Amino acid sequence: MTHDATLSRLTGVDLRPLEQRLRGTLLRPGMPAYDSARQLMNRAVTRRPAAIAQVADTRDVVEVVRFARDRGLPLGVRSGGHSPAGHGMADDALVADLSGMKRVTIDPGARLARVEPGVTSGELAAVAQPHGLAISTGDTSSVGFGGLVTGGGIGFMVRKHGLTIDHLVAAQVVTASGKLVTASEREHPDLFWAIRGGGGNFGIVTEFTLRLAEVGQILGGDLVLPASREVIRGYLDYVMDAPDELTTIANLMHAPPFPHIPEARVGELVLSILVTWVGNESEGQRALAPLRALAEPVADAVGLMPYSAMFNFTAHQAIPIPHCIRHAFAHQVSEVAVDVALDAVEHASSPFSMVQFRGLGGAMARVGAEATAFAHRDKRYLVSALALWMDETADATPHRAWIDSLWQAIRAEGAGAYVNFLEDEGQERIGEAYPLPTLARLAEVKRAYDPHNRFRFNQNIAPAVQA
Ligand SMILES: Cc1cc2nc3c(=O)[nH]c(=O)nc-3n(C[C@H](O)[C@H](O)[C@H](O)COP(=O)(O)OP(=O)(O)OC[C@H]3O[C@@H](n4cnc5c(N)ncnc54)[C@H](O)[C@@H]3O)c2cc1C
């Protein structure tokens, strides 16, 4: 079967006019690069788009959107490909793949960075570091800016510097009608509000302008403690009121064979606390003392380092593997939830599976709930269960059963969802990501900018119905 015949079976649309106008590459089923291009970070998800437009620049994005608009084609959007739901690719759709749009321009004097959506967290950190600048993004170097920023961005310095969207000054957006607009506090302020937490519902962002923070050396690394009910409780209680300079992400897991973990302790149940202290070193050491005092550490790999080096501690997370996730924001984490998590990880279907506790608050909580579409500003914790396994060909059933049972036991403690951590979990869960007033406002913005719901391969918000 020829490429075109394959395509016509899928969509019946002649893509050659688009191919001729693109500076980038149009990949179709059967072409050698198609199969690698449709791969996603979550290897438990497989998608077969009708075509993948690997765009070169904003003009290409406009071409793709207009082509899809004129022919009524379903349109997917990919930047870094890290959506747990696999929304970076879509079956039988034309996908705009922005992973090649990787330009970064930094103005150190103004502390501004213009960042294309295919840039990853690690790439920006590496380029900004020599200027003594940084931005709080996610915990993994390979996550793409396109999805990260439009969803919120909860990173290593969230308590000190807020969410990634809190650094956003302006964005270039190609709307569903194929128009390129600037969204900022002054121009299209409703769109600017919505793309800060509303996900990919409102258009394709082709450039983010972000204000960077002055971040030189940090006190960071991995403090690994033996896992017990008391240690987890002590951690949860301490990080709630710790200074804003301290952000932590704690993984309840089996100790991995990392260089800083003694070989004899590998496989032990541990609480691996990734710490980032942004501030004076001796104050940081004092702030860490209560965590170190919770138990004799299995490993203490915390020291002065450039911020970008934090990603070395999560390098394994940047490797594509099959996974599934259930998560919730929480005001508090009960003794029951801690016990359930301990038991679940100890008896997990995969030795790589874990439960993650993130302490929130600080700068993130000082932005008003209505200021952006990310409204869960007051939540103290983000708790996630992650089933992670290595073999893509393995049956996922035991891992899904593990996470389902753990989730059922703790979900009642949840107080909201994070759009960027959702899988395809249904409309009710999308509703948990947004309080009703936020959801209603998002639906209005959706009606204004994408009335026909062309951007629908996402945590979808339906356009408001005309009154
Ligand atoms: C290993 C791992 C670690 C993670 N760690 C964190 C973390 O610490 N903090 C955190 O906040 N999140 C984290 N995430 C979640 C991550 O923020 C989301 O998965 C995010 O959507 C990824 O963006 P992407 O561009 O890589 O994904 P993609 O799969 O390419 O995109 C996901 C969706 O985002 C939208 N989108 C993508 N690009 C654009 C664009 N240019 N314009 C408009 N919409 C767009 C589209 O709807 C798309 O379907 C993590 C995910 C993984 C897999």
Side-chain angles (χ1 to χ4, degrees):
M1 193 185 290
T2 67
H3 302 155
D4 284 351
T6 308
L7 182 64
S8 91
R9 180 171 61 80
L10 289 168
T11 69
V13 171
D14 180 7
L15 291 171
R16 276 168 298 191
L18 174 63
E19 192 168 25
Q20 283 155 12
R21 286 201 290 273
L22 280 186
R23 294 184 199 196
T25 309
L26 192 72
L27 297 174
R28 289 164 282 179
M31 291 172 81
Y34 169 84
D35 277 327
S36 62
R38 70 188 174 85
Q39 295 285 345
L40 295 163
M41 185 66 181
N42 188 352
R43 291 296 163 87
V45 181
T46 307
R47 306 255 192 249
R48 292 190 66 81
I52 304 168
Q54 295 184 314
V55 297
D57 52 23
T58 298
R59 208 187 71 177
D60 270 2
V61 175
V62 171
E63 292 289 356
V64 172
V65 172
R66 289 184 180 169
F67 187 87
R69 174 202 66 189
D70 293 346
R71 289 155 183 82
L73 294 181
L75 181 60
V77 185
R78 180 203 205 271
S79 287
H82 279 54
S83 151
H87 287 156
M89 287 286 147
D91 286 332
D92 299 332
L94 170 60
V95 173
D97 177 353
L98 288 83
S99 56
M101 288 182 66
K102 282 190 174 288
R103 200 180 48 199
V104 179
T105 318
I106 295 189
D107 175 347
R111 284 199 283 118
L112 288 178
R114 285 164 53 204
V115 181
E116 287 192 334
V119 173
T120 65
S121 276
E123 287 165 349
L124 182 67
V127 176
Q129 188 74 55
H131 301 288
L133 300 172
I135 190 173
S136 185
T137 56
D139 68 355
T140 303
S141 64
S142 52
V143 173
F145 264 74
L148 177 92
V149 183
T150 47
I154 305 175
F156 280 133
M157 301 186 288
V158 64
R159 288 172 52 79
K160 174 71 178 169
H161 290 304
L163 300 170
T164 315
I165 50 171
D166 300 335
H167 301 249
L168 192 65
V169 175
Q172 299 295 308
V173 187
V174 179
T175 65
S177 63
K179 211 171 137 196
L180 177 66
V181 301
T182 300
S184 69
E185 291 292 359
R186 283 194 190 163
E187 296 175 77
H188 299 275
D190 49 349
L191 181 61
F192 187 55
W193 174 84
I195 59 166
R196 286 176 293 162
N201 274 284
F202 309 95
I204 304 183
V205 179
T206 59
E207 186 182 88
F208 301 95
T209 302
L210 299 143
R211 193 171 306 283
L212 304 173
E214 282 174 15
V215 180
Q217 295 264 301
I218 57 144
L219 186 61
D222 190 10
L223 176 64
V224 186
L225 303 178
S228 69
R229 177 197 286 180
E230 294 70 30
V231 164
I232 298 172
R233 181 83 268 145
Y235 163 80
L236 291 167
D237 290 347
Y238 180 66
V239 296
M240 196 146 104
D241 296 316
D244 288 2
E245 284 80 0
L246 183 65
T247 299
T248 56
I249 299 176
N251 294 320
L252 172 59
M253 65 200 297
H254 292 276
F258 290 164
H260 61 277
I261 296 189
E263 220 176 306
R265 310 294 294 267
V266 168
E268 211 175 279
L269 207 59
V270 294
L271 190 69
S272 152
I273 311 175
L274 294 165
V275 307
T276 310
W277 170 270
V278 192
N280 174 280
E281 189 199 351
S282 47
E283 285 173 26
Q285 297 290 7
R286 275 199 295 280
L288 286 176
L291 290 178
R292 288 182 165 129
L294 288 173
E296 182 65 36
V298 172
D300 188 340
V302 178
L304 280 182
M305 63 182 70
Y307 167 71
S308 52
M310 273 306 291
F311 292 114
N312 296 338
F313 289 92
T314 54
H316 58 288
Q317 294 177 190
I319 298 166
I321 54 165
H323 56 272
C324 49
I325 176 170
R326 289 293 177 275
H327 78 283
F329 288 113
H331 290 290
Q332 52 197 358
V333 181
S334 73
E335 301 305 326
V336 173
V338 169
D339 285 348
V340 166
L342 270 165
D343 183 62
V345 175
E346 191 171 2
H347 301 106
S349 56
S350 161
F352 308 104
S353 295
M354 60 165 82
V355 172
Q356 181 181 81
F357 304 96
R358 297 189 186 213
L360 303 176
M364 165 186 160
R366 285 193 290 275
V367 175
E370 302 82 27
T372 66
F374 185 111
H376 290 298
R377 298 280 182 169
D378 60 337
K379 304 304 178 301
R380 307 313 302 259
Y381 304 107
L382 175 59
V383 182
S384 309
L386 291 140
L388 307 157
W389 63 104
M390 298 294 149
D391 181 359
E392 289 176 30
T393 60
D395 180 12
T397 311
H399 310 303
R400 294 196 191 285
W402 175 79
I403 210 161
D404 281 347
S405 132
L406 170 53
W407 178 233
Q408 287 315 320
I410 61 172
R411 71 170 296 177
E413 301 201 6
Y418 175 35
V419 72
N420 272 359
F421 278 11
L422 284 173
E423 290 194 41
D424 277 328
E425 297 172 47
Q427 210 56 39
E428 192 187 329
R429 287 283 281 158
I430 297 174
E432 287 178 32
Y434 306 107
L436 279 179
T438 306
L439 198 53
R441 190 171 165 192
L442 284 170
E444 288 296 341
V445 182
K446 180 80 172 173
R447 183 173 66 185
Y449 288 92
D450 183 16
H452 304 294
N453 202 5
R454 294 207 191 286
F455 299 113
R456 72 177 79 112
F457 299 108
N458 45 38
Q459 303 299 342
N460 197 237
I461 291 160
V465 180
Q466 195 92 42

